[in-house]
Structures are given as structure tokens and as C-alpha cells.
Amino acid sequence: MTRECGVLLPGVCAALADPRQPGLDDTCLEKLLDWFRSLTWFDPTVELVQDNPCLTELISSVLALAEPSPSILSFTLQLAGILAASENRFQHLQQEKLLGRLFGRDGPRGRAVWEDASVRSGWVKGVHSMVHHQPALHFLCSGGGMDVIFALQGDPSLFVASAASQLLVHMLTFSVESETSKPLSTKDCEWPACAQMIKKHVEDSLQSGSASQVEQSLKLLTSLFGSCYAAWTEVLWSDVAKQIESFLVEETVQAQHMLANLLLNVARSPVFCDTEGSFWALVTSALEHLTPVQACPLAVGLLKLCKCPQDVRIQALTVLLQPMDCILRAASQPLEYAGLLDESVSDPVTVESLLSSKTSCAGLLCQTLAHLEKLLSLKHLRVDLPYMSLLRSLMTILQFCNGLLSPASPLGSTISRNLINCFRVQKSALDVLAALSEKKGCDTLIGSLFDVLLAYLESPNTSPTVLKKAFQATSKWLVRLQELSCSNSQCQQTEKILEDVFVVLQKRLCSPCWEVRDSSLEFLTAVIKCLRDQDGFRQCLLSSEVPRLTENLLEDPESYVRASAVTAVGHLAFVTCFAPESPVAGNQYNKENTLAKLQEILSTDSEGFPRRAVISIFTKWLREGCTGQLEDTEQFVSRVIQTVEHDLDWEVRLGGLELVEVFCSQTICQLGLSECPYAPAPSAVPSSTPQNELLRVFCRAKLFGFLFRSLCDCDKPVGQRACDILIGLRGNFYPMSTLENPQEIEDSPAGRGIAWLQRTLRQGSVAQNFPTDGGNGVDFQDPDSMMVALGAIDLLELHDELNKSSDHMEESPQSLLQDILATMGTIEENEVDCY
């Protein structure tokens, strides 16, 4: 603790203990507790409380109040727990007879203030902080504290109940690992006293027949097995496994809904990795007896495990796929195609009844589809999925949802009625459909698949959110389709599908709904990114009305649509302008026309989104070498940054800096200097021709004025990026150890201007009247001046300043203590640290 904080602390403690003072907000008290945590973390000695008696006086004063403020009492309980985390300070507080009045039988439990949840929460947090040594454990076990913690497991406040459960897990783990020297057995007498109490409480609760007590103990066990992988947990499990198994087959206590998470946490523990153990028999039983909604999370969790018996894996996959299998079987009677499953794990009637119910059908399918999407995203799945049947089932679901399928079976008719126009299921199914595009084995169904997708894209009943998902799935499958287009017949099918897609896209680009126009443009951008090098795709695109309609949307009344149109036009240019066989100049798609339109948006659009999109597209063009020779690129960059530097949107200015960074890197490479802009040059030799040419290019492009002005930008990310770029540039002219002498700079022709620039930059964002070219003797287009500036200005110091937190002063402990005193009105106004 600093001397200044030590001087302020007594006043703060006195103010906190004074019931006449206005209460502090919880954020301030939490910051104060954080400070004490940091102090005690690095210093376990008793001196902290001995040298600052105001801390124990604060605790005594609050305990002496007849009706303390709940927030101050909660703070005091937590503070005492933090201080008592060290055994030395614990003994000191015991000698002061404070801990018994806080956490023992004489504590606040019997007072009216205990009814406030914040006090109970403070008590639990204080105990949790304190229990890091044996005396604290013994104090709680002998002083009645354990009964309080057990009772708080069922607290009406979920936060308090959860904190109590976490505390018991911590105490059990700490007790076993700090008080035992040999492996434990199932005999209670071998367990430490505190661990015995908790273990017995858990076992008694599980056998109590009380749903609330069973639930509390299952939560505790779930948390324990999820955080502790010690060998003794296997012993604990062997004591409770029979009771857990009984919950699966008996219905006396409804605890099944909690078992999936518990079993998954146990399965993840390396202690239970032995595939021959009885634990896996219990998991198999759970997959059989839990309802489909309860079993699905368990099944997908098991499928993600590295170490799981293969027969359990197959059973888990069967549980997960049962609803999809039921859909496939319900679609036709007799069954037209092979189902997903050869046999079921649980009774198929259960799944059929859930899918037949209007209230449960969508929920079960959405849950199943979400789990399948997660599985399909895994790089290594340790069980084979039947992709073909899965795809057929997905197509069936989508056809049920939009009424395109008339099932022959009664079950299919019921499910179809339940799913008609169900947007939730449509979105989930389309997500899985998109994920399936990366899997092999579905190619024979691709024609039927596009029939379903096109039906969604064309239908006026498709909602905008579902349409967006349909476009995303279509773009993925179009990429897959192009990969398969080898034979002539396949090429004809691909061409027909592309034509159909572009016909639909033309209609959607003219939709009165802005969300539909926006999704259509996003789809167009996505397919161009992936397919722009494919001849067939380019021909279909250019023979359609899509390019013209896309350019029209640059003037859309909705800013989001204009931004998406900018991005789409920028990517269209790779097909219409930049490709070798692009249309000739004079055509409406030539580069100059497109560039002019986007620059106009950058200069005049009233909304930030389209302007951000323009600068992003310009940067992409520059990266891909689409801006011409160095001289053309130089002029292009110069025009863009002169527009961008005055933009009111900081993200546009930041985008301008990214453009500059790409330009600098490319120019350095083209002139034969280092490929890495941060690599130092061999020496600072001004006569070096490549270096001189580099400076001249940057000065002509007006880069330095933009970069130095950005250092004083009122938005910190802009200044940070500009500083990083300048530091990188300097490395090409000066080795790290060779910077200009400040006194020599003052005497140089440009010295006074550079010195003034250095002073201005130190003011940062508060700098006024930043010099334009030539102002105050600073010429940003003069190579010699900029060479001097790069060597003279301490960019590393500026970098450190820019990367400091904006509240690094205000968040200091001293500032916090001053603020507390100021809030409580106990120091003079001119001493207040206001911010």
C-alpha cells in the first residue's frame, strides 16, 4: 500500500462505518474490494491489518450498528473474508473476536438484515475468500457454519444458491487435498472431517426423496466433476452411482432433467477414461431412459469425446438421429428409401408422439438440428454420419415447412401440419443443409436439393430471415456444384441451376423489403468471392440483369442496402472490370465508371455504413493489384486519403489507414526494399536511391500529412494505427539504434517546424490547429523534412501514450479512495479527483 493510500484509508473506513453518510454505489464498493484482493494476494503477512487498525475498527463499528446498511454489511463480510484468507491475519482477527461475530453462531444470521439477499451473498463470498487454510475450515465446521451453507443451497436467490454450491465444491476439494496423505476409500472414517460432512450431506440429500434437495446435490456433483479431476472423485462417484441410477428408472423424484450434464462432466474426467468401467453402463442406461429432449445434449456431448467406447458412441448417434429418422419414415408409406437407423435405442413411439404434438414438434427438431450443425462443424468426428439419408431428411423437413410435400402416412400429415410456415425449423434446417455442403456422399441428390432451395428463394411466403439462410445454403451448394461439374451432362445441369438462381436473384434485388434486397446483395458477394474464376458462372452472371440492378442499388434509400451494394459492386468489378476478358472500355462496367461511383459515395453519402464499405473495397482492390501501375496507384491512394481524412466516422478514417498500410507495404516491395515494413534498413543513408524514391512517392501521395494528423485523432484506434504505420516506415530509413539528435534537428532548415510538430503531437487529441502542409514551417510533402521528422519524433513514446488506458489515472487506488471521500463529503471540494 502506498503512503498516500495509507493516509486516505482511515477517512474512508470512518465514512463507510458512519450510518449518517450516504451509501456508496455497489460498483465503488466492488472496486474497493478488488483493491484489497490485490493487496492481500501479494502480501500474506499480518502487517496489513496491524499497520492499518482502521480496517478492524471498520468491521467492529459496522457490527455494532443496530441496523447496518445491507450493502455496507455485505461489503464488511467480504472484506473480512479477504483479510482472513491468510492464516496470520485469520489468527489476528480471531484474537480481535471478529470472525465469530461475522461468520459464526453470533453472526448476522439471526438479524433482520439477513433477509436481504446481498447480505447472504456477502456472507458466502466472505467465507469462500477465507477458506484457504486449515484453521478456517475447522472454524466453520465447529462453529455451525456448515449448516448455514447447506441451507443456503436452497436460497430463494439463485445467485446465493449457486454461490453456496460453488463454496461447498471448493471446501470439499480443499479439505480432501490438504488433509489427506493416502488414497481414500469408501469408508467415511478415512475422509477428513469437513469432507465427511459434505459427503454425508450429499448422500443424505440424494436419498431424501425431496426434489429440491436432490436437485441441490446433483448441481453440486455436476460442478465438482466439471472442475476436479483428482483420483478421489472416483471413490465419491462409487458411493453415489447407485442412487443416480435409481433416478433413471424410478419416478419418485423427477431428477432426470439434471442427469445429462452430470454424466457428461463425469465422462469428460480422465479418471473415468477406462472404457470397461461400470460408469459407461450407466451412461447407456441414461440414453435409453431419458426423454429425447433430455438425451440429445448427452448424446452430442458423448460424440465429441475423444475417449468413449465405440458402442456408446453409436448408441449416442442413434439417439440424436431418431427424430430425423422418424421424419424420413413419416414422409412415405411404405418406406420409399432406407431410413437413417437400423434400430432404435429407446421406444420410437416417444419420438413420434413428440413430433405429433404442435407444442413439442418444433422444439425437438430445432434442438436436434442445432446439435447436428455442431457435429458437422467438427474436423474430426469419431463416428460416421449417414450424410445421404440425413440430407434427404432435411429436404423432407423443408418441404413439410412450406407445404410442398403431401405425405401418405397419417403421422407425416400430422407432422406436416405442425411444421407449416415454422420459421424456427426452416432456419435450423437450412443451417444444417449449408454445413452438409462440405461433406461427400450427397452428390446424387444435388438436383433435388436445388429444387427445394429454389422453391424457398422464389416463394413470396419465405420470410426475410429464412430467405437469408436459404441464400447462404445456396451459395455453399453452388460452390459444391462447381466442384462436381466435370462431365457435359453435369455442366448442363450446373448452367441450368445458375440461370434459375440468377432469375430469382433479379426478382429479389427489386423487392420492396430492404432486408430481402440486402440479403440478395450479400448472396451475390458470397458467390462472386468463390466462383469468379469459373467461366460458366461469369457468363451466366454477365448475361443476366444482376450487374445493372446491383449498381442501381448504390442509390437505395436504405443505408444498409447501399453498403451491401458497394461491397457487391466492388466484387463484381473482378468480373466486369479487372478480369482479362472483361468488357471493353466505354462500356458501363469499365473501371473508371465504377471507381467514380464509389468515390462519389465516399465523398457524399450521409451514412457511415456505405462509406466504410467503399474504403474496405478500395483496400481489397489495392491488395489484389487492381489499381494499375505505381503512378496510377499513387494518385488513387492520394485522392482517397484526402477524402477520408476529413470523414466524421472514425471507422472510415481507420479504413483509410489500412489502405495506406497496404500501399506502403506494396511500394516498399516494388522498389526493392525490405518485404517486411518493420525490418530495419542496413543504415541511415539519405542518398540511397530506393529510399529517396520511396520518400518521394509517399510525399506525392500526401501520406505523411494524413499519418501525422491521425496521431492526434480524437478516436484512439486511429492514432494507434497511424503510430504503428509510422514506426514501421521509420524502420526502412533508420536502424533501431540510430535516431536524430534533437539539438542538431533544431539547427536544421526544417528543424523549427519539426520541433513544433513534436510538441503538438505530445498534446495528442487535445491538440488545436494541427498544421496543414506548409503551416508552422512543416512541409509534409518535402522528402528531406519527412526524413528528419521520422528520425526526430519519438514515435515509441507516442506509442506508449496512445496505448495507455484512458482511465489509467482515474482507476488508481488513490483516485478511488479520493472519490469515495468526495462522494461522502468528507474532503474539501478542491481536493476532489473528478473525472
Side-chain angles (χ1 to χ4, degrees):
M1 186 186 300
T2 64
R3 185 183 63 81
E4 292 80 5
C5 289
V7 171
L8 293 168
L9 188 58
V12 169
C13 290
L16 290 171
D18 188 346
R20 298 167 301 174
Q21 292 284 3
L24 279 176
D25 67 85
D26 292 341
T27 304
C28 217
L29 292 173
E30 194 56 50
K31 285 182 179 179
L32 196 54
L33 288 171
D34 285 341
W35 177 51
F36 281 115
R37 286 188 191 97
S38 65
L39 284 175
T40 56
W41 181 263
F42 295 107
D43 180 13
T45 63
V46 75
E47 279 75 12
L48 179 64
V49 285
Q50 288 179 338
D51 296 345
N52 297 280
C54 58
L55 293 172
T56 50
E57 289 167 10
L58 166 63
I59 297 171
S60 300
S61 301
V62 171
L63 288 172
L65 295 173
E67 295 183 8
S69 155
S71 62
I72 294 298
L73 180 55
S74 176
F75 168 82
T76 304
L77 288 162
Q78 292 180 72
L79 173 62
I82 291 167
L83 295 174
S86 151
E87 192 169 343
N88 291 330
R89 288 192 297 267
F90 175 88
Q91 300 295 357
H92 180 85
L93 294 174
Q94 276 286 62
Q95 290 168 12
E96 297 280 331
K97 302 191 184 309
L98 293 175
L99 291 180
R101 296 166 63 195
L102 288 163
F103 304 112
R105 291 189 177 88
D106 301 327
R109 301 198 306 269
R111 300 168 65 176
V113 74
W114 187 254
E115 295 300 313
D116 193 292
S118 67
V119 174
R120 301 194 300 277
S121 176
W123 190 91
V124 174
K125 289 177 180 177
V127 171
H128 202 138
S129 297
M130 180 172 66
V131 180
H132 285 93
H133 46 79
Q134 292 296 325
L137 268 184
H138 297 152
F139 164 75
L140 285 167
C141 291
S142 60
M146 297 303 296
D147 292 333
V148 182
I149 302 169
F150 293 149
L152 289 176
Q153 275 188 289
D155 196 90
S157 165
L158 293 178
F159 294 105
V160 175
S162 175
S165 184
Q166 293 297 325
L167 172 58
L168 286 171
V169 170
H170 167 69
M171 292 178 71
L172 175 59
T173 305
F174 180 72
S175 173
V176 171
E177 294 179 358
S178 65
E179 296 184 280
T180 57
S181 55
K182 60 180 183 179
L184 294 170
S185 72
T186 55
K187 295 178 182 177
D188 284 347
C189 61
E190 294 184 5
W191 289 65
C194 179
Q196 268 189 54
M197 293 178 73
I198 298 172
K199 180 172 177 286
K200 184 176 186 308
H201 169 74
V202 169
E203 292 170 354
D204 290 348
S205 296
L206 290 175
Q207 296 168 10
S208 67
S210 163
S212 60
Q213 289 187 39
V214 168
E215 189 168 318
Q216 290 162 22
S217 286
L218 289 176
K219 283 180 180 177
L220 188 154
L221 290 171
T222 301
S223 180
L224 173 68
F225 287 106
S227 59
C228 180
Y229 302 141
W232 60 268
T233 57
E234 187 175 15
V235 180
L236 178 63
W237 176 257
S238 65
D239 285 343
V240 299
K242 284 289 182 190
Q243 191 61 43
I244 300 295
E245 187 174 13
S246 72
F247 295 142
L248 291 170
V249 293
E250 298 172 9
E251 297 185 0
T252 51
V253 178
Q254 294 298 316
Q256 289 93 335
H257 64 286
M258 304 219 27
L259 296 181
N261 282 339
L262 171 59
L263 292 173
L264 265 182
N265 279 358
V266 177
R268 291 183 183 118
S269 171
V271 175
F272 296 89
C273 63
D274 178 12
T275 56
E276 301 301 319
S278 59
F279 166 71
W280 295 107
L282 180 55
V283 172
T284 300
S285 177
L287 289 170
E288 291 174 7
H289 290 96
L290 293 178
T291 68
V293 173
Q294 294 164 353
C296 267
L298 174 60
V300 77
L302 292 169
L303 289 169
K304 291 179 181 177
L305 292 179
C306 295
K307 294 184 178 179
C308 174
Q310 189 65 10
D311 59 327
V312 177
R313 254 195 214 110
I314 292 169
Q315 192 171 1
L317 181 62
T318 304
V319 166
L320 185 60
L321 293 178
Q322 259 191 294
M324 307 299 289
D325 180 67
C326 185
I327 290 285
L328 206 52
R329 293 177 184 276
S332 58
Q333 193 81 26
L335 191 61
E336 202 173 327
Y337 306 105
L340 277 160
L341 306 174
D342 297 324
E343 58 182 34
S344 297
V345 172
S346 55
D347 188 355
V349 175
T350 308
V351 174
E352 289 175 8
S353 64
L354 287 169
L355 292 176
S356 299
S357 166
K358 183 81 174 174
T359 54
S360 59
C361 179
L364 176 61
L365 283 178
C366 285
Q367 182 194 47
T368 303
L369 292 166
H371 290 320
L372 282 170
E373 187 187 6
K374 286 181 183 174
L375 281 184
L376 289 168
S377 68
L378 297 177
K379 288 186 177 179
H380 303 291
L381 190 60
R382 291 170 175 81
V383 66
D384 293 329
L385 282 170
Y387 296 124
M388 179 81 79
S389 299
L390 185 55
L391 178 57
R392 191 172 276 121
S393 182
L394 287 167
M395 288 160 55
T396 303
I397 290 172
L398 289 168
Q399 287 172 309
F400 276 160
C401 288
N402 68 358
L404 287 178
L405 188 65
S406 299
S409 71
L411 176 62
S413 299
T414 304
I415 294 173
S416 181
R417 285 196 301 273
N418 290 340
L419 292 180
I420 195 76
N421 291 328
C422 183
F423 299 155
R424 287 169 56 209
V425 174
Q426 287 174 338
K427 290 189 289 184
S428 298
L430 286 164
D431 282 336
V432 181
L433 200 64
L436 263 181
S437 66
E438 299 173 13
K439 307 300 177 183
K440 295 179 180 178
C442 304
D443 305 341
T444 56
L445 289 176
I446 207 158
S448 303
L449 168 63
F450 273 102
D451 288 341
V452 174
L453 288 172
L454 283 165
Y456 269 81
L457 296 178
E458 290 170 349
S459 173
N461 296 324
T462 304
S463 74
T465 51
V466 173
L467 182 71
K468 186 183 181 78
K469 297 285 187 182
F471 269 135
Q472 289 169 350
T474 303
S475 67
K476 294 280 188 72
W477 278 99
L478 281 174
V479 174
R480 179 73 181 144
L481 184 64
Q482 287 290 343
E483 292 170 358
L484 299 172
S485 296
C486 300
S487 64
N488 287 334
S489 59
Q490 190 72 52
C491 284
Q492 289 172 356
Q493 182 190 32
T494 301
E495 187 178 333
K496 176 68 171 64
I497 289 171
L498 282 171
E499 287 173 358
D500 291 342
V501 168
F502 282 126
V503 168
V504 176
L505 184 59
Q506 287 170 181
K507 293 178 183 176
R508 291 301 192 176
L509 287 170
C510 300
S511 170
C513 175
W514 75 263
E515 290 99 331
V516 171
R517 300 194 301 276
D518 193 53
S519 297
S520 304
L521 290 164
E522 288 177 350
F523 165 73
L524 177 60
T525 300
V527 292
I528 291 173
K529 281 181 180 178
C530 299
L531 302 176
R532 75 187 199 200
D533 296 329
Q534 303 292 326
D535 291 337
F537 170 78
R538 287 203 303 270
Q539 288 169 10
C540 283
L541 173 61
L542 294 176
S543 62
S544 72
E545 290 291 302
V546 168
R548 180 183 64 80
L549 294 170
T550 302
E551 285 207 359
N552 290 347
L553 291 176
L554 291 173
E555 299 175 7
D556 195 276
E558 176 57 54
S559 65
Y560 291 113
V561 178
R562 294 198 303 278
S564 295
V566 166
T567 305
V569 167
H571 284 82
L572 262 173
F574 290 112
V575 178
T576 59
C577 304
F578 303 138
E581 62 277 20
S582 294
V584 295
N587 176 292
Q588 61 169 322
Y589 301 129
N590 70 52
K591 183 169 71 175
E592 287 71 23
N593 282 344
T594 303
L595 183 58
K597 287 178 180 178
L598 296 189
Q599 283 185 324
E600 183 182 1
I601 291 172
L602 184 61
S603 305
T604 62
D605 200 295
S606 60
E607 297 286 341
F609 297 112
R611 302 198 307 274
R612 291 177 201 168
V614 172
I615 195 66
S616 178
I617 282 297
F618 283 170
T619 304
K620 183 170 184 62
W621 284 1
L622 185 61
R623 272 204 182 96
E624 300 208 16
C626 299
T627 53
Q629 299 300 315
L630 181 56
E631 295 79 9
D632 298 330
T633 302
E634 182 186 312
Q635 293 175 12
F636 166 73
V637 170
S638 180
R639 282 199 305 271
V640 172
I641 64 176
Q642 285 177 71
T643 304
V644 162
E645 68 180 338
H646 302 297
D647 200 292
L648 297 177
D649 187 324
W650 72 269
E651 290 193 49
V652 176
R653 300 194 300 276
L654 189 64
L657 288 169
E658 186 180 351
L659 180 87
V660 165
E661 190 169 26
V662 173
F663 175 64
C664 291
S665 179
Q666 289 186 346
T667 308
I668 289 166
C669 291
Q670 286 180 37
L671 294 178
L673 293 169
S674 168
E675 287 187 15
C676 172
Y678 291 87
S683 61
V685 185
S687 61
S688 171
T689 303
Q691 289 175 325
N692 279 348
E693 179 58 24
L694 190 63
L695 273 175
R696 283 195 290 271
V697 169
F698 291 163
C699 287
R700 286 197 302 267
K702 301 185 178 178
L703 255 61
F704 288 112
F706 177 44
L707 288 170
F708 281 115
R709 269 187 288 275
S710 297
L711 290 174
C712 296
D713 198 284
C714 56
D715 289 286
K716 186 179 283 188
V718 177
Q720 290 170 330
R721 189 64 170 269
C723 195
D724 289 340
I725 294 170
L726 283 166
I727 290 171
L729 286 179
R730 186 177 66 183
N732 287 280
F733 302 100
Y734 292 90
M736 292 297 185
S737 59
T738 310
L739 293 179
E740 300 283 2
N741 184 307
Q743 188 56 50
E744 291 177 7
I745 290 166
E746 290 271 3
D747 300 333
S748 69
R752 294 181 65 182
I754 301 303
W756 186 92
L757 177 61
Q758 172 106 337
R759 291 193 299 272
T760 304
L761 292 174
R762 282 179 178 151
Q763 296 174 42
S765 60
V766 299
Q768 300 292 320
N769 303 319
F770 194 93
T772 54
D773 285 342
N776 297 89
V778 182
D779 186 353
F780 291 112
Q781 293 186 57
D782 175 47
D784 293 336
S785 296
M786 291 302 97
M787 184 71 175
V788 174
L790 285 173
I793 293 171
D794 193 340
L795 293 170
L796 294 177
E797 181 189 8
L798 282 172
H799 182 272
D800 292 342
E801 284 298 316
L802 286 165
N803 282 280
K804 278 184 182 175
S805 168
S806 59
D807 55 3
H808 67 280
M809 285 297 292
E810 290 78 358
E811 287 210 338
S812 66
Q814 182 181 343
S815 174
L816 175 63
L817 297 175
Q818 288 172 334
D819 283 352
I820 293 172
L821 291 173
T823 303
M824 297 185 139
T826 52
I827 62 175
E828 295 300 323
E829 187 177 348
N830 62 355
E831 292 179 287
V832 177
D833 175 20
C834 294
Y835 57 90

